[in-house]
Amino acid sequence: MSHQNLETLDAEAIREEFPILQREFDGQQVVYLDNAATTQTPEPVIDAMSDYYREYNANVHRGIHHLSQEASIAYEEAHDRVAEFIGAAGREEVIFTKNTTEAENLVAYSWGLNELGPGDEVVLTEMEHHASLVTWQQIGKRTGADVKYIRIDEDGRLDMDHARELITDDTAMLSAVHVSNTLGTVNPVSELVDIAHDHDALAFIDGAQAVPNRPVDVEAIDADFYAFSGHKMAGPTGIGALYGKQHLLEAMQPYLYGGGMIRKVTFEDSTWDDLPWKFEPGTPQIAEAVGLVAAIDWLEDIGMERIRTHEEEIARYAYERLEAEDDVEIYGPEPGPDRGGLVGFNLEGVHAHDLASIMNDHAVAIRAGDHCTQPLHDKLGVSASARASFYVYNTREEVDKLIAALDDARELFA
Ligand code: PLP
């Protein structure tokens, strides 16, 4: 199906491409509002992976036979497609990882362990996901580098004055989330990167919640590293990508070793293959790379700008409906260009887990918990929050179902 001829995004038509969205529980069609955790998969992506297994499944690294040749080409070219999608110069700058978390760890181990030491500082934000927060915290402990956090203000935005204060010539790395998975805040990442570069620090941007739903150009942002996951963008689980500037990746040592990443091995020593293979040892995620390409094709056919607009509109609607309820507390900024497509909230007197369970009785899938941002929840003064997160196939009617289910939760728990 082509989406190009549609003036605005037609979520109802798009839903038809998702078999899972047709599922019913107790006679109620599933309302899937857990997209910040994982998005659903459209038929073209499922078909692309199925075709791979039916037609050209083989190990890569250019075996002599036809099947390996085809699989190798598909896998290698997947790097080109991802590079093009995020505005990287070429495949040398795109390393496939398991997910965003592994991309963070790759930089932390390969660069951080070798480059950081006492006196160095790593600056994060208070809204970092554990993927970066825990990783840099541990690297800090092992290297003696200090980890500092840019404050958020009362509206859930970064305090940029504090950012300018905290990032100094002692800063070696800034790691910031592009869009917060808890607050929905869209951070001014180019500005943050500029501040880091003014102090000769590197900048890592966690794009797990940005690449799926808005145009992202890593060169325009000027990030040194940028990471995201396939399973949050209509693609498969098991694959993510790390973008890195070529000269930085070239200077870095791999932290995973094995076959497929070497040039020459003797009993005494080894040398590494070219980028990106140097960082991709062992049999990689071939079917997943094929699926990721299909997801990118599918998203681009709809248009990233239209996806952003749709998500913003649904999130605005959800925000306004929730805000109209006196006993609901919402986290993060008001709707606008610096709020992404999710709404975190709590219903007074009802634990977020109980709320999610009541929602589930209505086949409404939301997430409850700390969303891998425990320190941020501490700061918000709550142990957990509920989160409704939207994607290209969600509709206003689905938000209405979420709102309707709140009454049940009040009756049972409040
Ligand atoms: N960063 C952010 C902002 C996220 O929302 C997530 C996942 O929820 C991650 C990192 C980790 O992604 P993954 O579990 O795919 O590694």
Side-chain angles (χ1 to χ4, degrees):
M1 167 180 168
S2 168
H3 310 92
Q4 292 297 351
N5 54 351
L6 304 170
E7 284 266 310
T8 54
L9 185 154
D10 183 352
E12 289 293 353
I14 285 171
R15 301 177 67 77
E16 302 289 316
E17 294 183 75
F18 289 79
I20 212 170
L21 296 179
Q22 319 307 322
R23 279 204 67 185
E24 293 189 352
F25 296 95
D26 299 325
Q28 307 168 97
Q29 194 167 359
V30 68
V31 174
Y32 189 76
L33 305 180
D34 194 15
N35 296 287
T38 287
T39 52
Q40 296 303 343
T41 321
E43 306 244 30
V45 176
I46 299 170
D47 290 348
M49 287 189 287
S50 164
D51 284 351
Y52 166 76
Y53 282 116
R54 286 172 194 280
E55 303 283 339
Y56 57 104
N57 175 38
N59 213 319
V60 292
H61 307 310
R62 303 255 170 196
I64 299 298
H65 58 81
H66 289 304
L67 292 177
S68 177
Q69 290 287 333
E70 284 185 22
S72 299
I73 289 168
Y75 181 70
E76 289 170 10
E77 288 183 354
H79 294 74
D80 303 333
R81 185 69 181 100
V82 169
E84 184 193 5
F85 182 57
I86 58 168
R91 65 170 64 169
E92 297 76 14
E93 298 192 324
V94 174
I95 292 150
F96 285 154
T97 59
K98 196 165 61 177
N99 46 34
T100 305
T101 305
E102 192 181 279
E104 303 261 13
N105 276 271
L106 194 162
V107 174
Y109 277 83
S110 286
W111 177 86
L113 273 191
N114 291 310
E115 300 294 332
L116 293 173
D120 287 328
E121 292 178 358
V122 175
V123 174
L124 310 180
T125 76
E126 285 182 339
M127 61 174 92
E128 285 318 288
H129 188 278
H130 293 169
S132 92
L133 194 154
V134 177
T135 304
W136 289 113
Q137 203 175 56
Q138 292 307 309
I139 296 296
K141 287 184 196 302
R142 286 171 65 169
T143 59
D146 275 340
V147 178
K148 301 194 160 174
Y149 299 92
I150 303 168
R151 273 194 304 261
I152 56 165
D153 65 18
E154 290 204 337
D155 299 328
R157 293 186 177 91
L158 283 183
D159 176 342
M160 291 303 285
D161 288 336
H162 191 227
R164 276 180 280 272
E165 226 172 88
L166 218 56
I167 300 171
T168 67
D169 290 347
D170 291 332
T171 308
M173 173 65 80
L174 161 84
S175 184
V177 74
H178 193 159
V179 177
S180 161
N181 66 312
T182 300
L183 302 169
T185 317
V186 182
N187 287 320
V189 283
S190 300
E191 203 180 326
L192 285 167
V193 170
D194 285 349
I195 300 171
H197 288 171
D198 285 347
H199 294 279
D200 289 331
L202 296 179
F204 187 120
I205 304 297
D206 169 351
Q209 299 295 346
V211 170
N213 52 49
R214 62 199 53 239
V216 167
D217 184 332
V218 290
E219 280 190 1
I221 295 169
D222 201 18
D224 298 293
F225 302 102
Y226 194 103
F228 60 97
S229 300
H231 68 97
K232 294 181 195 289
M233 51 187 283
T237 55
I239 189 160
L242 170 71
Y243 158 80
K245 285 184 180 165
Q246 187 170 344
H247 70 100
L248 294 172
L249 293 175
E250 259 158 13
M252 278 158 53
Q253 285 298 308
Y255 88 110
L256 291 172
Y257 301 98
M261 48 86 72
I262 49 82
R263 187 180 301 287
K264 175 77 183 144
V265 181
T266 65
F267 284 122
E268 288 73 37
D269 207 359
S270 307
T271 55
W272 315 134
D273 200 353
D274 293 334
L275 289 171
W277 324 122
K278 163 176 135 179
F279 289 105
E280 295 184 0
T283 302
Q285 313 86 318
I286 310 162
E288 290 79 2
V290 167
L292 181 59
V293 168
I296 290 172
D297 290 345
W298 187 83
L299 291 171
E300 282 202 328
D301 189 50
I302 296 172
M304 296 312 295
E305 201 54 70
R306 282 203 296 176
I307 294 172
R308 168 169 48 192
T309 308
H310 176 74
E311 262 203 28
E312 265 175 29
E313 273 170 23
I314 295 281
R316 174 184 291 275
Y317 180 66
Y319 186 102
E320 285 168 0
R321 296 261 0 228
L322 285 166
E323 202 187 22
E325 310 282 331
D326 289 341
D327 52 357
V328 169
E329 186 180 6
I330 304 177
Y331 307 107
E334 295 201 337
D338 63 356
R339 171 180 265 282
L342 62 91
V343 184
F345 63 98
N346 267 309
L347 179 64
E348 201 181 304
V350 184
H351 193 279
H353 283 139
D354 293 328
L355 182 61
S357 167
I358 295 291
M359 292 285 164
N360 190 46
D361 292 343
H362 293 257
V364 176
I366 62 165
R367 182 135 301 228
D370 60 45
H371 317 303
C372 296
T373 55
Q374 277 183 18
L376 174 59
H377 277 78
D378 288 346
K379 170 119 186 177
L380 296 172
V382 290
S383 61
S385 60
R387 180 183 71 189
S389 55
F390 309 102
Y391 208 38
V392 56
Y393 35 69
N394 289 122
T395 63
R396 285 178 170 230
E397 290 69 37
E398 291 184 306
V399 174
D400 293 340
K401 287 184 184 163
L402 169 104
I403 299 294
L406 290 176
D407 272 342
D408 265 14
R410 288 186 184 104
E411 246 169 62
L412 270 160
F413 291 105

